[in-house]
Coordinates of all heavy atoms in Angstrom, one line a residue:
M1 N 1.1 33.3 -1.1 CA 0.9 31.9 -1.7 C -0.3 31.9 -2.6 O -1.3 32.5 -2.2 CB 0.8 31.0 -0.5 CG 0.5 29.6 -0.8 SD 0.3 28.5 0.7 CE 1.7 28.9 1.7
C2 N -0.2 31.4 -3.8 CA -1.3 31.4 -4.7 C -2.4 30.4 -4.3 O -2.1 29.5 -3.5 CB -0.8 30.9 -6.1 SG 0.6 31.9 -6.7
Q3 N -3.6 30.7 -4.8 CA -4.7 29.8 -4.4 C -5.4 29.4 -5.7 O -5.5 30.1 -6.6 CB -5.7 30.6 -3.5 CG -5.1 30.9 -2.1 CD -6.1 31.9 -1.4 OE1 -6.1 33.1 -1.7 NE2 -6.9 31.3 -0.5
Q4 N -5.9 28.2 -5.6 CA -6.8 27.7 -6.7 C -8.2 28.0 -6.3 O -8.7 27.8 -5.2 CB -6.6 26.2 -6.8 CG -5.3 25.7 -7.3 CD -5.2 24.2 -7.4 OE1 -5.3 23.5 -6.4 NE2 -4.9 23.7 -8.5
M5 N -9.0 28.5 -7.3 CA -10.4 28.7 -7.2 C -11.1 27.5 -7.8 O -10.9 27.3 -9.0 CB -10.8 30.0 -7.8 CG -12.2 30.4 -7.4 SD -12.8 31.9 -8.2 CE -11.8 33.1 -7.3
A6 N -11.9 26.8 -7.1 CA -12.6 25.6 -7.6 C -14.1 25.8 -7.5 O -14.6 26.4 -6.6 CB -12.1 24.4 -6.8
E7 N -14.8 25.2 -8.5 CA -16.2 25.1 -8.5 C -16.6 23.7 -8.1 O -16.0 22.8 -8.5 CB -16.8 25.5 -9.9 CG -16.8 26.9 -10.2 CD -17.5 27.2 -11.5 OE1 -17.8 26.3 -12.3 OE2 -17.6 28.4 -11.8
G8 N -17.7 23.6 -7.4 CA -18.1 22.3 -7.0 C -19.5 22.3 -6.3 O -20.1 23.3 -6.2
T9 N -19.8 21.1 -5.7 CA -21.1 20.9 -5.0 C -20.8 21.0 -3.5 O -19.9 20.5 -3.0 CB -21.6 19.5 -5.4 OG1 -21.8 19.5 -6.8 CG2 -22.9 19.3 -4.7
R10 N -21.7 21.7 -2.8 CA -21.7 21.7 -1.4 C -22.8 20.7 -0.9 O -23.9 20.8 -1.2 CB -22.1 23.1 -0.9 CG -22.1 23.3 0.6 CD -20.8 23.2 1.2 NE -19.9 24.3 0.7 CZ -18.6 24.4 1.0 NH1 -18.0 23.6 1.8 NH2 -17.9 25.4 0.5
W11 N -22.3 19.8 0.0 CA -23.2 18.9 0.6 C -23.5 19.5 2.0 O -22.7 19.5 2.9 CB -22.5 17.5 0.8 CG -22.1 16.9 -0.5 CD1 -21.0 17.1 -1.2 CD2 -22.9 16.0 -1.3 NE1 -21.0 16.4 -2.4 CE2 -22.2 15.7 -2.5 CE3 -24.2 15.4 -1.2 CZ2 -22.7 14.9 -3.5 CZ3 -24.6 14.5 -2.1 CH2 -23.9 14.3 -3.3
T12 N -24.7 20.0 2.1 CA -25.0 20.9 3.2 C -25.2 20.1 4.6 O -25.1 20.8 5.6 CB -26.3 21.7 2.9 OG1 -27.4 20.8 2.7 CG2 -26.1 22.6 1.8
K13 N -25.4 18.8 4.6 CA -25.5 18.1 5.8 C -24.2 17.9 6.5 O -24.1 17.9 7.8 CB -26.2 16.8 5.7 CG -27.7 17.0 5.5 CD -28.5 15.7 5.8 CE -30.0 16.1 5.7 NZ -30.8 14.9 5.5
C14 N -23.1 17.9 5.8 CA -21.8 17.7 6.4 C -20.9 18.9 6.0 O -19.8 19.0 6.5 CB -21.1 16.4 6.0 SG -20.8 16.2 4.3
M15 N -21.4 19.8 5.1 CA -20.7 21.0 4.7 C -19.4 20.7 3.9 O -18.5 21.5 3.8 CB -20.4 22.0 5.9 CG -21.7 22.6 6.4 SD -22.7 23.3 5.2 CE -21.8 24.9 4.8
H16 N -19.3 19.5 3.5 CA -18.1 19.1 2.6 C -18.3 19.7 1.2 O -19.4 19.8 0.8 CB -17.9 17.6 2.6 CG -17.3 17.1 3.9 ND1 -17.6 16.0 4.5 CD2 -16.3 17.7 4.7 CE1 -16.9 15.8 5.6 NE2 -16.1 16.8 5.7
F17 N -17.2 19.9 0.6 CA -17.2 20.5 -0.8 C -16.6 19.4 -1.7 O -15.6 18.8 -1.5 CB -16.3 21.7 -0.8 CG -16.2 22.4 -2.1 CD1 -17.2 23.2 -2.5 CD2 -15.0 22.3 -2.9 CE1 -17.1 23.9 -3.7 CE2 -14.9 23.0 -4.1 CZ -16.0 23.8 -4.5
Q18 N -17.4 19.2 -2.8 CA -16.9 18.2 -3.8 C -16.5 19.0 -5.0 O -17.3 19.6 -5.7 CB -18.1 17.3 -4.1 CG -17.6 16.2 -5.1 CD -18.8 15.4 -5.7 OE1 -20.0 15.5 -5.2 NE2 -18.6 14.6 -6.6
R19 N -15.2 19.0 -5.2 CA -14.7 19.8 -6.3 C -15.0 19.2 -7.7 O -14.8 18.0 -7.9 CB -13.1 19.9 -6.1 CG -12.5 20.8 -7.2 CD -11.1 21.2 -6.7 NE -10.2 20.1 -6.9 CZ -8.9 20.2 -6.6 NH1 -8.4 21.2 -6.0 NH2 -8.1 19.1 -6.8
H20 N -15.4 20.1 -8.6 CA -15.6 19.6 -10.0 C -14.4 20.0 -10.9 O -13.9 19.2 -11.6 CB -16.9 20.2 -10.6 CG -18.1 19.8 -9.9 ND1 -19.4 20.2 -10.2 CD2 -18.3 18.9 -8.9 CE1 -20.3 19.7 -9.4 NE2 -19.7 18.8 -8.6
L21 N -14.1 21.3 -10.8 CA -12.9 21.7 -11.6 C -12.3 23.0 -11.0 O -13.0 23.8 -10.3 CB -13.3 21.9 -13.1 CG -14.1 23.1 -13.4 CD1 -14.0 23.4 -15.0 CD2 -15.6 23.0 -13.1
V22 N -11.1 23.2 -11.3 CA -10.4 24.4 -10.9 C -10.6 25.4 -12.0 O -10.3 25.2 -13.2 CB -8.9 24.2 -10.7 CG1 -8.2 25.5 -10.5 CG2 -8.6 23.2 -9.6
V23 N -11.2 26.5 -11.7 CA -11.6 27.5 -12.7 C -10.6 28.7 -12.8 O -10.6 29.4 -13.8 CB -13.0 28.1 -12.4 CG1 -14.1 27.0 -12.7 CG2 -13.2 28.6 -11.0
A24 N -9.8 28.9 -11.8 CA -8.9 30.0 -11.8 C -7.8 29.8 -10.8 O -7.9 29.1 -9.8 CB -9.6 31.3 -11.5
I25 N -6.7 30.5 -11.0 CA -5.6 30.5 -10.1 C -5.5 32.0 -9.7 O -5.3 32.9 -10.5 CB -4.3 30.0 -10.7 CG1 -4.4 28.6 -11.3 CG2 -3.1 30.1 -9.7 CD1 -4.5 27.5 -10.3
V26 N -5.5 32.2 -8.4 CA -5.3 33.5 -7.9 C -3.8 33.7 -7.6 O -3.3 33.1 -6.7 CB -6.1 33.8 -6.6 CG1 -5.9 35.2 -6.0 CG2 -7.6 33.5 -6.8
D27 N -3.2 34.6 -8.4 CA -1.7 34.7 -8.3 C -1.4 35.7 -7.2 O -1.9 36.8 -7.1 CB -1.2 35.2 -9.6 CG 0.3 35.0 -9.8 OD1 1.1 35.5 -9.0 OD2 0.6 34.3 -10.8
C28 N -0.4 35.3 -6.3 CA 0.0 36.1 -5.2 C 1.1 37.1 -5.6 O 1.4 38.0 -4.8 CB 0.5 35.2 -4.0 SG 2.0 34.3 -4.4
S29 N 1.6 36.9 -6.8 CA 2.6 37.9 -7.4 C 3.9 37.9 -6.5 O 4.6 38.9 -6.6 CB 2.0 39.3 -7.5 OG 0.9 39.2 -8.4
L30 N 4.2 36.9 -5.8 CA 5.5 36.8 -5.1 C 6.5 36.2 -5.9 O 6.3 35.1 -6.5 CB 5.3 36.0 -3.8 CG 4.5 36.7 -2.6 CD1 4.3 35.7 -1.5 CD2 5.1 37.9 -2.1
K31 N 7.7 36.8 -5.9 CA 8.9 36.2 -6.6 C 9.3 34.9 -5.9 O 10.0 34.1 -6.5 CB 10.0 37.2 -6.7 CG 9.7 38.3 -7.7 CD 11.0 39.2 -7.9 CE 10.8 40.2 -9.0 NZ 9.8 41.2 -8.7
T32 N 9.0 34.8 -4.7 CA 9.4 33.6 -3.9 C 8.4 32.5 -3.9 O 8.5 31.6 -3.1 CB 9.7 34.1 -2.4 OG1 8.6 34.7 -1.9 CG2 10.9 35.0 -2.4
C33 N 7.4 32.6 -4.7 CA 6.4 31.6 -4.8 C 6.5 30.9 -6.2 O 6.3 31.6 -7.2 CB 5.0 32.2 -4.6 SG 3.6 31.0 -4.8
S34 N 6.8 29.6 -6.2 CA 7.0 29.0 -7.5 C 5.8 28.8 -8.3 O 5.8 28.4 -9.4 CB 7.7 27.6 -7.2 OG 6.8 26.8 -6.5
R35 N 4.6 29.1 -7.7 CA 3.3 29.0 -8.4 C 3.0 30.3 -9.1 O 2.1 30.3 -9.9 CB 2.2 28.6 -7.5 CG 2.4 27.3 -6.8 CD 2.2 26.1 -7.7 NE 2.5 24.8 -7.0 CZ 2.3 23.7 -7.6 NH1 1.9 23.6 -8.8 NH2 2.6 22.6 -6.9
S36 N 3.7 31.3 -8.8 CA 3.3 32.6 -9.3 C 4.0 32.9 -10.7 O 5.1 32.4 -11.0 CB 3.8 33.7 -8.3 OG 3.6 35.0 -8.9
L37 N 3.4 33.7 -11.5 CA 3.9 34.1 -12.7 C 5.2 35.0 -12.5 O 6.0 35.1 -13.4 CB 2.9 34.9 -13.6 CG 1.7 34.1 -14.0 CD1 0.7 35.0 -14.7 CD2 2.1 33.0 -15.0
Q38 N 5.3 35.6 -11.4 CA 6.4 36.5 -11.1 C 7.7 35.7 -10.7 O 8.8 36.2 -10.6 CB 6.1 37.4 -9.9 CG 4.9 38.3 -10.1 CD 5.0 39.1 -11.3 OE1 6.0 39.7 -11.5 NE2 3.9 39.2 -12.1
H39 N 7.5 34.4 -10.4 CA 8.6 33.6 -10.0 C 9.6 33.3 -11.2 O 9.1 32.9 -12.2 CB 8.1 32.2 -9.5 CG 9.1 31.3 -8.9 ND1 9.5 30.2 -9.6 CD2 9.8 31.4 -7.8 CE1 10.4 29.6 -8.8 NE2 10.6 30.3 -7.7
P40 N 10.9 33.6 -11.0 CA 11.8 33.4 -12.1 C 11.9 31.9 -12.5 O 12.0 31.0 -11.7 CB 13.1 33.9 -11.5 CG 13.0 34.0 -10.1 CD 11.5 34.1 -9.8
K41 N 11.8 31.7 -13.8 CA 11.9 30.3 -14.4 C 13.3 29.8 -14.1 O 14.3 30.5 -14.2 CB 11.7 30.3 -15.9 CG 10.3 30.7 -16.2 CD 9.7 29.7 -17.3 CE 8.3 30.0 -17.6 NZ 7.5 30.9 -16.7
G42 N 13.4 28.5 -13.7 CA 14.7 27.9 -13.5 C 15.2 28.1 -12.0 O 16.3 27.6 -11.7
C43 N 14.4 28.8 -11.2 CA 14.8 29.0 -9.8 C 14.7 27.7 -9.1 O 13.7 27.0 -9.2 CB 13.9 30.0 -9.2 SG 14.1 30.1 -7.4
R44 N 15.8 27.3 -8.4 CA 15.8 26.0 -7.7 C 15.9 26.3 -6.2 O 16.2 25.4 -5.4 CB 17.0 25.2 -8.1 CG 17.0 24.8 -9.5 CD 16.2 23.5 -9.7 NE 16.2 23.1 -11.1 CZ 15.2 23.5 -11.9 NH1 14.2 24.2 -11.5 NH2 15.2 23.1 -13.2
D45 N 15.5 27.5 -5.7 CA 15.6 27.8 -4.3 C 14.6 26.9 -3.5 O 13.4 27.1 -3.8 CB 15.3 29.3 -4.1 CG 15.5 29.7 -2.7 OD1 15.6 28.8 -1.8 OD2 15.7 30.9 -2.5
P46 N 15.0 26.1 -2.7 CA 14.1 25.2 -1.9 C 13.3 26.0 -0.9 O 12.3 25.5 -0.4 CB 15.0 24.2 -1.2 CG 16.3 24.8 -1.1 CD 16.4 25.8 -2.3
G47 N 13.7 27.3 -0.7 CA 12.9 28.1 0.3 C 11.7 28.7 -0.4 O 10.9 29.3 0.3
C48 N 11.6 28.6 -1.7 CA 10.4 29.2 -2.3 C 9.2 28.4 -2.0 O 9.2 27.2 -1.8 CB 10.6 29.2 -3.9 SG 11.8 30.4 -4.4
I49 N 8.0 29.1 -2.0 CA 6.8 28.4 -1.7 C 6.4 27.4 -2.9 O 6.5 27.8 -4.0 CB 5.6 29.4 -1.6 CG1 5.9 30.3 -0.4 CG2 4.3 28.8 -1.4 CD1 5.1 31.6 -0.4
Q50 N 6.1 26.2 -2.5 CA 5.9 25.2 -3.6 C 4.4 24.9 -3.7 O 4.0 24.4 -4.8 CB 6.6 23.9 -3.2 CG 8.1 24.0 -3.0 CD 8.8 24.5 -4.3 OE1 8.4 24.2 -5.4 NE2 9.9 25.2 -4.1
N51 N 3.6 25.1 -2.7 CA 2.3 24.6 -2.7 C 1.3 25.8 -2.9 O 1.6 26.9 -2.6 CB 2.0 23.9 -1.4 CG 2.9 22.7 -1.3 OD1 3.1 21.9 -2.2 ND2 3.4 22.5 -0.1
F52 N 0.1 25.4 -3.3 CA -1.0 26.3 -3.3 C -1.5 26.5 -1.9 O -1.5 25.6 -1.0 CB -2.2 25.8 -4.2 CG -1.9 25.9 -5.6 CD1 -1.7 24.8 -6.4 CD2 -1.9 27.1 -6.3 CE1 -1.4 24.8 -7.7 CE2 -1.6 27.2 -7.6 CZ -1.4 26.1 -8.4
G53 N -2.1 27.7 -1.6 CA -2.7 27.9 -0.3 C -4.1 27.3 -0.3 O -4.4 26.5 -1.1
E54 N -4.8 27.6 0.7 CA -6.1 27.0 0.9 C -7.0 27.3 -0.3 O -7.1 28.4 -0.8 CB -6.8 27.6 2.2 CG -7.9 26.7 2.7 CD -8.5 27.3 4.0 OE1 -7.8 28.1 4.7 OE2 -9.7 27.0 4.2
E55 N -7.7 26.3 -0.8 CA -8.5 26.4 -2.0 C -9.7 27.3 -1.7 O -10.3 27.3 -0.6 CB -9.0 25.0 -2.3 CG -10.0 24.8 -3.4 CD -10.4 23.4 -3.5 OE1 -11.3 22.9 -2.8 OE2 -9.8 22.7 -4.4
I56 N -10.0 28.1 -2.7 CA -11.2 29.0 -2.6 C -12.3 28.2 -3.2 O -12.3 27.7 -4.4 CB -11.0 30.3 -3.4 CG1 -9.8 31.0 -2.9 CG2 -12.3 31.1 -3.4 CD1 -9.3 32.2 -3.8
Q57 N -13.3 27.9 -2.4 CA -14.4 27.0 -2.8 C -15.6 27.8 -3.3 O -16.2 28.6 -2.5 CB -14.8 26.1 -1.7 CG -13.6 25.2 -1.3 CD -13.8 24.3 -0.1 OE1 -14.7 24.6 0.7 NE2 -13.0 23.3 0.0
K58 N -16.0 27.6 -4.5 CA -17.2 28.3 -5.1 C -18.3 27.3 -5.3 O -18.2 26.4 -6.1 CB -16.8 28.9 -6.4 CG -17.1 30.4 -6.6 CD -16.5 30.9 -7.9 CE -17.7 31.4 -8.7 NZ -17.3 31.6 -10.1
D59 N -19.4 27.4 -4.5 CA -20.5 26.5 -4.6 C -21.3 26.8 -5.9 O -21.8 27.9 -6.0 CB -21.4 26.6 -3.4 CG -20.7 26.4 -2.1 OD1 -19.5 26.2 -2.1 OD2 -21.4 26.5 -1.1
V60 N -21.4 25.9 -6.8 CA -22.3 26.1 -8.0 C -23.6 25.4 -7.8 O -24.6 25.7 -8.4 CB -21.6 25.7 -9.3 CG1 -20.5 26.6 -9.7 CG2 -21.0 24.3 -9.2
D61 N -23.6 24.4 -6.9 CA -24.9 23.9 -6.5 C -24.7 23.3 -5.1 O -23.6 23.1 -4.6 CB -25.5 22.9 -7.5 CG -24.6 21.7 -7.7 OD1 -23.7 21.5 -6.9 OD2 -24.9 20.9 -8.6
S62 N -25.9 23.0 -4.5 CA -25.8 22.4 -3.1 C -26.8 21.3 -3.0 O -27.9 21.4 -3.6 CB -26.0 23.5 -2.1 OG -27.3 24.0 -2.2
V63 N -26.5 20.3 -2.3 CA -27.4 19.1 -2.1 C -27.6 19.0 -0.6 O -26.6 19.0 0.2 CB -26.7 17.9 -2.7 CG1 -27.7 16.7 -2.6 CG2 -26.4 18.1 -4.1
D64 N -28.8 18.8 -0.2 CA -29.2 18.6 1.2 C -29.0 17.2 1.6 O -29.9 16.4 1.9 CB -30.6 19.1 1.5 CG -31.0 19.1 2.9 OD1 -30.1 19.2 3.8 OD2 -32.2 18.9 3.3
E65 N -27.7 16.8 1.6 CA -27.4 15.4 1.9 C -25.9 15.3 2.4 O -25.2 16.3 2.4 CB -27.4 14.6 0.5 CG -28.5 13.5 0.4 CD -28.6 12.6 1.6 OE1 -27.6 12.4 2.4 OE2 -29.7 12.0 1.8
Y66 N -25.5 14.1 2.8 CA -24.1 13.9 3.2 C -23.4 13.6 1.9 O -23.9 12.9 1.0 CB -24.0 12.8 4.2 CG -24.5 13.1 5.6 CD1 -25.8 12.7 6.0 CD2 -23.7 13.9 6.4 CE1 -26.3 13.0 7.2 CE2 -24.2 14.2 7.7 CZ -25.5 13.8 8.1 OH -26.0 14.1 9.3
C67 N -22.1 13.9 1.9 CA -21.3 13.6 0.7 C -21.0 12.1 0.6 O -21.3 11.4 1.6 CB -20.0 14.4 0.7 SG -18.8 13.8 1.9
F68 N -20.5 11.6 -0.5 CA -20.2 10.2 -0.7 C -19.3 9.6 0.4 O -19.5 8.6 0.9 CB -19.6 10.0 -2.1 CG -20.6 10.4 -3.2 CD1 -20.3 11.4 -4.0 CD2 -21.7 9.7 -3.4 CE1 -21.1 11.8 -5.1 CE2 -22.6 10.0 -4.4 CZ -22.3 11.1 -5.3
A69 N -18.3 10.4 0.7 CA -17.3 9.9 1.7 C -18.0 9.7 3.0 O -17.7 8.7 3.7 CB -16.1 10.9 1.8
C70 N -18.8 10.7 3.4 CA -19.5 10.6 4.7 C -20.5 9.5 4.7 O -20.6 8.8 5.7 CB -20.1 11.9 5.0 SG -19.0 13.2 5.6
R71 N -21.2 9.3 3.6 CA -22.2 8.2 3.6 C -21.5 6.8 3.6 O -21.9 5.9 4.3 CB -23.0 8.3 2.3 CG -24.3 9.2 2.6 CD -25.2 9.2 1.4 NE -24.6 10.2 0.4 CZ -25.0 10.3 -0.9 NH1 -25.9 9.4 -1.3 NH2 -24.5 11.2 -1.7
A72 N -20.3 6.7 3.0 CA -19.6 5.5 3.0 C -19.1 5.2 4.4 O -19.2 4.1 4.9 CB -18.4 5.5 2.1
A73 N -18.7 6.3 5.1 CA -18.2 6.1 6.5 C -19.3 5.7 7.4 O -19.2 4.9 8.3 CB -17.5 7.4 7.0
Q74 N -20.5 6.3 7.2 CA -21.7 5.9 8.0 C -22.1 4.5 7.7 O -22.4 3.8 8.7 CB -22.9 6.9 7.6 CG -22.7 8.3 8.2 CD -23.7 9.2 7.5 OE1 -24.5 8.9 6.7 NE2 -23.6 10.5 8.0
D75 N -22.0 4.0 6.5 CA -22.4 2.6 6.1 C -21.4 1.7 6.9 O -21.8 0.7 7.4 CB -22.3 2.4 4.6 CG -23.5 2.9 3.9 OD1 -24.4 3.4 4.6 OD2 -23.5 2.9 2.7
R76 N -20.1 2.0 6.8 CA -19.1 1.2 7.5 C -19.4 1.1 9.0 O -19.4 0.1 9.6 CB -17.7 1.8 7.2 CG -16.9 1.0 6.2 CD -15.5 1.3 6.3 NE -15.1 2.7 6.4 CZ -15.1 3.5 5.3 NH1 -15.3 3.1 4.1 NH2 -14.8 4.8 5.5
A77 N -19.7 2.3 9.6 CA -20.0 2.3 11.0 C -21.2 1.5 11.4 O -21.2 0.8 12.4 CB -20.1 3.7 11.5
R78 N -22.2 1.6 10.5 CA -23.5 0.8 10.8 C -23.2 -0.7 10.7 O -23.7 -1.4 11.5 CB -24.5 1.3 9.7 CG -25.9 1.2 10.3 CD -26.9 1.8 9.3 NE -26.7 3.2 9.0 CZ -26.6 3.7 7.7 NH1 -26.9 2.9 6.7 NH2 -26.4 5.0 7.5
R79 N -22.4 -1.1 9.7 CA -22.1 -2.5 9.5 C -21.3 -3.0 10.7 O -21.5 -4.1 11.1 CB -21.4 -2.7 8.2 CG -22.0 -3.8 7.3 CD -21.4 -3.9 6.0 NE -21.6 -2.7 5.1 CZ -20.7 -2.1 4.4 NH1 -19.5 -2.4 4.4 NH2 -21.1 -1.0 3.7
N80 N -20.4 -2.2 11.2 CA -19.6 -2.7 12.3 C -20.4 -2.8 13.5 O -20.1 -3.8 14.3 CB -18.4 -1.6 12.5 CG -17.4 -1.7 11.5 OD1 -17.3 -2.7 10.7 ND2 -16.6 -0.7 11.4
T81 N -21.4 -2.0 13.8 CA -22.1 -2.1 15.0 C -23.1 -3.2 15.0 O -23.5 -3.8 16.0 CB -22.8 -0.8 15.3 OG1 -23.5 -0.3 14.2 CG2 -21.9 0.3 15.8
S82 N -23.6 -3.6 13.7 CA -24.7 -4.6 13.6 C -24.1 -6.0 13.6 O -24.9 -6.9 13.8 CB -25.6 -4.3 12.4 OG -24.8 -4.5 11.2
S83 N -22.8 -6.1 13.3 CA -22.3 -7.5 13.2 C -21.8 -8.0 14.5 O -21.4 -7.2 15.4 CB -21.2 -7.5 12.1 OG -20.1 -6.7 12.5
Ligands
LIG101 ZN1 1.9 32.3 -4.9
LIG102 ZN1 12.2 30.2 -6.5
LIG103 ZN1 -19.1 14.8 4.0

């Protein structure tokens, strides 16, 4: 199964990855993978792999903080407990 290689920011307090852009596709070269260049065009076989595998995460910078999603969740939790 092919994989996308993405560059992004690593939030080191929660270890989440914030993707900026996909920089490369790692081709698995399987004829049965619809994401591969080896896959025949026009193939309608539902048994072929349709999705990318696990993303390869390349940290281009890192921040010693929680990511936006985690901070929003923390804010929500704080508001719920104080009200
Ligand atoms: Zn593939
Ligand atoms: Zn196919
Ligand atoms: Zn996070």
